[in-house]
Amino acid sequence: MVNVGTASGPWVGIGSVGNAFSASTSWHEAVRALRFASSTGFGRRVVAYERLSSLDLLADLPIDRVRRNRDVARINEIASSPAGDLDVQTAEAFFVYGSLRRTAAELHVHHSTVAARLARVQAAMGWNFEDPVERFLCALVLIVRRIAMSSAELADADLL
């Protein structure tokens, strides 16, 4: 298990269980899982490598290429203002919690606030969350953005 603490709290990556001879493999799995964890207040704080399944393939994307991706760059641009950052964090929370009401409860805001924030993200990105493909696209963009952000924080902590 790898635990990284930041100003926004700890985030954890968990490798597979094994004997002393597999400790190195478990460490690398934990660091890889940590790239999917979130240092934000509304994302997943703990990620187990074994639960990543095929999402693990995304960890092999070149980080520079991820940062240059048009959608990731646009989400980062939106998140560069305090209000936009709340909108993007709300979208990330929505994809973690799965519904407006649960997201609102977790964020301690009214569900109409969540709906308004999601509407601003949809409008800015040209997405429609009613369309399953576009909803998936948003989730994917948020995941690869999280990988890029976590990777930068892990590099700063000398874990990558």
Side-chain angles (χ1 to χ4, degrees):
M1 178 169 65
V2 177
N3 179 350
V4 174
T6 65
S8 59
W11 35 304
V12 179
I14 301 171
S16 58
V17 176
N19 59 31
F21 298 109
S22 63
S24 175
T25 299
S26 181
W27 170 263
H28 290 291
E29 289 172 353
V31 170
R32 201 160 170 92
L34 194 58
R35 293 176 72 187
F36 290 85
S38 177
S39 59
T40 67
F42 309 124
R44 294 188 190 275
R45 296 289 188 157
V46 178
V47 176
Y49 178 80
E50 66 185 24
R51 300 272 310 181
L52 289 177
S53 186
S54 58
L55 284 178
D56 179 49
L57 298 170
L58 298 175
D60 292 328
L61 294 172
I63 299 305
D64 290 336
R65 185 170 178 204
V66 168
R67 288 188 186 117
R68 288 190 316 266
N69 175 271
R70 179 182 50 141
D71 289 337
V72 172
R74 180 70 182 125
I75 285 286
N76 284 335
E77 182 182 319
I78 294 166
S80 67
S81 73
D85 189 45
L86 271 177
D87 292 346
V88 172
Q89 288 186 33
T90 300
E92 186 175 45
F94 177 72
F95 284 99
V96 169
Y97 300 120
S99 74
L100 284 177
R101 293 200 184 271
R102 172 119 189 258
T103 302
E106 294 292 336
L107 301 181
H108 307 290
V109 298
H110 195 272
H111 65 87
S112 63
T113 301
V114 172
R117 290 176 182 173
L118 294 176
R120 285 191 294 270
V121 170
Q122 289 178 88
M125 296 299 295
W127 290 333
N128 173 5
F129 289 169
E130 298 298 316
D131 180 314
V133 172
E134 291 184 20
R135 193 174 172 128
F136 170 77
L137 180 60
C138 180
L140 180 63
V141 167
L142 292 171
I143 290 169
V144 295
R145 177 179 184 261
R146 170 60 38 220
I147 292 169
M149 292 172 70
S150 297
S151 294
E153 291 183 60
L154 290 170
D156 289 345
D158 291 326
L159 291 172
L160 285 183

